[in-house]
Amino acid sequence: MVAGIGMGNSVHLKEGSPEPAPVAKGVLRVYGMKFCPYVHRLKLVLAAKEVAHETININLKSKPKWYFVKNPQGKVPTIEIDGNVICESDITSEYVDAVYPGRKLSTTDALKAANEKMLLVYWGNKSVTNFYKYCMAKADDKQAKDAALATLKEGLEYLATFLKKNGTAFICGSQPGLTDYFLYPHLERINAIVPVDLKQIPKVKTYFDQMQEDKAVKSCRFSDELHREFGRKAHAGDIEAYDIGPVVQ
Amino acid sequence: MVAEKGGNSKHLRQDSKDPEAAENDVVRVYGMKFCPFTHRLKLVLAAKGVDYEIININLQSKPSWYFKRDPEGKIPTLEQNGNLVMGSDVASAYVDAMYPGKQLVTTDPLKAAHEKMLLEQWAKSITGYHNYAFGKDDNNDKIIGPMKVKEGFEKVEKYLKENEGPFICGSEPGLTDYILYPHLERIGALIPLVITQFDHVKAYYDKMQDDPAVQACRISDEQHRDFIHRACAGDIDACDIGVGK
């Protein structure tokens, strides 16, 4: 299996590209971007549920006009099925989990669900926000980078405490669930790009390693080096950054 | 009728003592009387028929003990049997799932997705309301605020037109209605003319006034205006408007 193929390996469509043919009846289409962590969430859920789908990749630095008809904000991911268009990573993921058969990924226990949602809020505020702050900070701005790093680590510590309290291998229990798949994409990028050694937070390191064994994670996995290459090129404003790595014409 | 114990009590300030733990199984809400997010949770508790006690927090002078409940010092927080649930949406979903009776959450996956996307659009109206009510720049905020409010209203108007109502969730108000309503009530109090420009939103607003949960939590338009006026003037005690001694 070619790693990363779960993210969709077709060329990213730019402004001026013709609109793809309408989606065939009953087919689930995902509009995505190969390296987007939010698309990654949805792709993990689709892989975990083994949902066959087609992917149209969008060049986010040169968006086709026809895409704004699907998603007026021009964001990814968006899904389209039988005339219904749904946007946002969490909304699309929850929809897929509810509609398709197989293992239910969402947490139903009221208190567990509440604790998982609070984890995601904290993770978002501390680790996701500061992952971007770290990446956006100027290369020589040590103060900004250090500050971002420190706050990012608070999110990792919170995750470690959560996992310890839960006493389970994954956030959702003995198997990864929706919350694991929502959290994981930025953790994969933090591990690849940010100078934080996960081994210093053993619980998170164990969790990370266990996620590497998950078949959904494996099907969407890009190498750390490819993440770094994308980060460099995107940061430098390279419109072709999206099409690096395995591409199917 | 749901018993809301303490709803009209003074907002606790920095000089207050940490209240004793709530008794077993009692639902305690830390909130603020005029806060729209606390309002969301109260609507859900009322709709589910869940009794609760409320401890009001003065957001301009937060007690240090409150940061032991929420390190960010935000409200509402729900506390039950030592468990803390922070945030209006998380706490509302928790109450809906924990208690029997009418399930307020929409289970049909497509409908649920559409409602969630509608709430994303509604965020524009929330921002617009905030700009209008609390913005410091009268020249800009009083103009841009209502414009943003209308952007969100357009989406709600379209949704109500295209879906069988009369409520967002269907024939009865559900979680999405109660999440949306608090800011709609405040917009109705502050800039009612905006509501009248949208036929379906106006009809929806009127229908919600008849809902028992809405009635149980209703603050008068005049009190809303009074609170905003005093809060903008920097009055730390604005939250205690209409509160018992």
Side-chain angles (χ1 to χ4, degrees):
Chain A
M1 177 193 267
V2 178
I5 205 157
M7 291 303 291
N9 286 359
S10 53
V11 168
H12 290 69
L13 301 181
K14 290 187 197 169
E15 193 180 332
S17 64
E19 185 171 357
V23 196
K25 194 167 170 4
V27 170
L28 177 71
R29 176 183 284 175
V30 175
Y31 295 94
M33 188 278 271
K34 215 157 86 180
F35 296 96
C36 174
Y38 298 95
V39 176
H40 195 175
R41 286 178 175 174
L42 173 60
K43 288 289 188 168
L44 286 166
V45 171
L46 288 163
K49 305 278 292 189
E50 294 181 347
V51 176
H53 61 281
E54 68 179 39
T55 302
I56 303 271
N57 280 329
I58 303 291
N59 188 313
L60 300 183
K61 292 193 195 287
S62 169
K63 296 175 193 176
K65 282 197 178 58
W66 50 258
Y67 185 61
F68 288 89
V69 175
K70 311 286 181 202
N71 183 322
Q73 294 179 295
K75 286 154 94 178
V76 290
T78 299
I79 64 176
E80 194 175 359
I81 178 156
D82 292 331
N84 292 309
V85 176
I86 303 173
C87 315
E88 301 289 325
S89 63
D90 50 349
I91 301 176
T92 51
S93 298
E94 284 162 4
Y95 172 82
V96 165
D97 184 46
V99 166
Y100 290 92
R103 186 165 72 90
K104 278 288 160 251
L105 304 176
S106 68
T107 297
T108 45
D109 176 78
L111 187 59
K112 260 170 156 292
N115 284 330
E116 287 176 26
K117 283 175 200 164
M118 290 191 284
L119 167 65
L120 285 176
V121 169
Y122 199 86
W123 173 255
N125 288 339
K126 302 287 179 182
S127 298
V128 174
T129 302
N130 285 281
F131 165 71
Y132 289 109
K133 276 194 180 157
Y134 179 86
C135 293
M136 300 297 201
K138 286 199 173 68
D140 54 1
D141 191 344
K142 189 175 184 307
Q143 201 179 14
K145 285 206 180 293
D146 285 348
L149 214 56
T151 313
L152 189 158
K153 281 184 190 167
E154 286 176 40
L156 294 169
E157 295 288 351
Y158 190 98
L159 173 59
T161 307
F162 185 100
L163 289 164
K164 193 169 174 186
K165 205 168 160 201
N166 248 21
T168 51
F170 301 98
I171 294 167
C172 294
S174 55
Q175 290 178 290
L178 221 53
T179 307
D180 293 277
Y181 293 131
F182 283 179
L183 186 139
Y184 177 74
H186 286 100
L187 182 61
E188 183 176 294
R189 286 153 182 76
I190 286 167
N191 178 69
I193 297 170
V194 169
V196 63
D197 186 358
L198 291 189
K199 285 202 283 289
Q200 291 180 351
I201 314 173
K203 270 268 173 251
V204 173
K205 177 77 175 92
T206 310
Y207 173 71
F208 181 84
D209 289 345
Q210 257 156 324
M211 285 296 269
Q212 301 313 303
E213 302 303 311
D214 180 65
K215 82 168 192 306
V217 169
K218 280 200 247 200
S219 74
C220 300
R221 195 54 159 104
F222 284 128
S223 69
D224 293 349
E225 181 43 51
L226 201 60
H227 276 303
R228 287 192 287 266
E229 188 187 342
F230 172 73
R232 275 194 305 269
K233 292 200 156 134
H235 195 62
D238 184 351
I239 285 186
E240 309 302 331
Y242 306 106
D243 290 326
I244 62 174
V247 170
V248 168
Q249 292 297 337
Chain B
M1 172 69 115
V2 158
E4 181 209 61
K5 204 177 108 191
N8 231 22
S9 54
K10 267 193 90 134
H11 290 67
L12 299 183
R13 293 212 210 178
Q14 216 168 58
D15 54 1
S16 62
K17 274 189 338 186
D18 194 339
E20 282 167 22
E23 289 169 28
N24 268 354
D25 296 335
V26 165
V27 172
R28 175 183 281 178
V29 174
Y30 297 95
M32 190 274 275
K33 188 172 157 180
F34 293 92
C35 169
F37 301 97
T38 305
H39 193 174
R40 284 178 180 176
L41 179 55
K42 286 184 180 182
L43 286 165
V44 171
L45 288 161
K48 298 286 291 192
V50 176
D51 294 336
Y52 62 100
E53 72 178 33
I54 188 151
I55 301 225
N56 283 325
I57 304 289
N58 190 318
L59 301 180
Q60 307 307 317
S61 169
K62 293 178 194 174
S64 17
W65 55 256
Y66 183 64
F67 290 86
K68 283 191 263 170
R69 306 298 191 278
D70 178 10
E72 309 276 309
K74 290 168 145 167
I75 48 117
T77 295
L78 184 151
E79 187 177 71
Q80 187 182 40
N81 293 330
N83 293 314
L84 290 162
V85 183
M86 280 99 77
S88 62
D89 294 348
V90 183
S92 296
Y94 170 80
V95 168
D96 186 44
M98 277 289 282
Y99 290 90
K102 181 165 180 288
Q103 280 314 112
L104 301 176
V105 72
T106 295
T107 46
D108 175 78
L110 190 58
K111 226 185 168 311
H114 284 142
E115 286 176 25
K116 286 170 200 170
M117 291 195 285
L118 180 65
L119 286 176
E120 295 274 322
Q121 297 299 319
W122 178 248
K124 293 190 183 117
S125 295
I126 292 178
T127 303
Y129 162 75
H130 230 261
N131 289 149
Y132 184 87
F134 300 106
K136 302 267 186 328
D137 181 353
D138 263 6
N139 287 334
N140 261 332
D141 292 316
K142 294 281 186 266
I143 297 168
I144 292 187
M147 276 170 62
K148 284 189 192 165
V149 167
K150 284 185 200 177
E151 277 183 55
F153 271 27
E154 266 154 35
K155 302 296 183 199
V156 179
E157 181 77 7
K158 185 170 187 279
Y159 191 98
L160 291 168
K161 219 186 266 187
E162 292 173 358
N163 288 280
E164 187 142 359
F167 303 101
I168 294 169
C169 292
S171 56
E172 288 177 302
L175 211 55
T176 305
D177 292 282
Y178 292 131
I179 288 174
L180 186 139
Y181 178 74
H183 286 94
L184 183 62
E185 181 175 295
R186 285 154 182 75
I187 290 165
L190 233 63
I191 33 176
L193 281 178
V194 176
I195 293 188
T196 58
Q197 292 169 19
F198 295 85
D199 291 340
H200 288 78
V201 174
K202 175 79 174 85
Y204 172 72
Y205 173 87
D206 290 342
K207 218 59 195 111
M208 285 295 268
Q209 301 313 306
D210 294 333
D211 180 63
V214 169
Q215 286 176 345
C217 304
R218 195 53 160 103
I219 289 172
S220 72
D221 291 351
E222 201 186 317
Q223 265 198 11
H224 276 305
R225 288 191 291 265
D226 197 13
F227 167 73
I228 286 161
H229 185 72
R230 285 170 58 173
C232 287
D235 182 353
I236 290 183
D237 297 319
C239 51
D240 284 327
I241 289 172
V243 148
K245 289 295 167 220

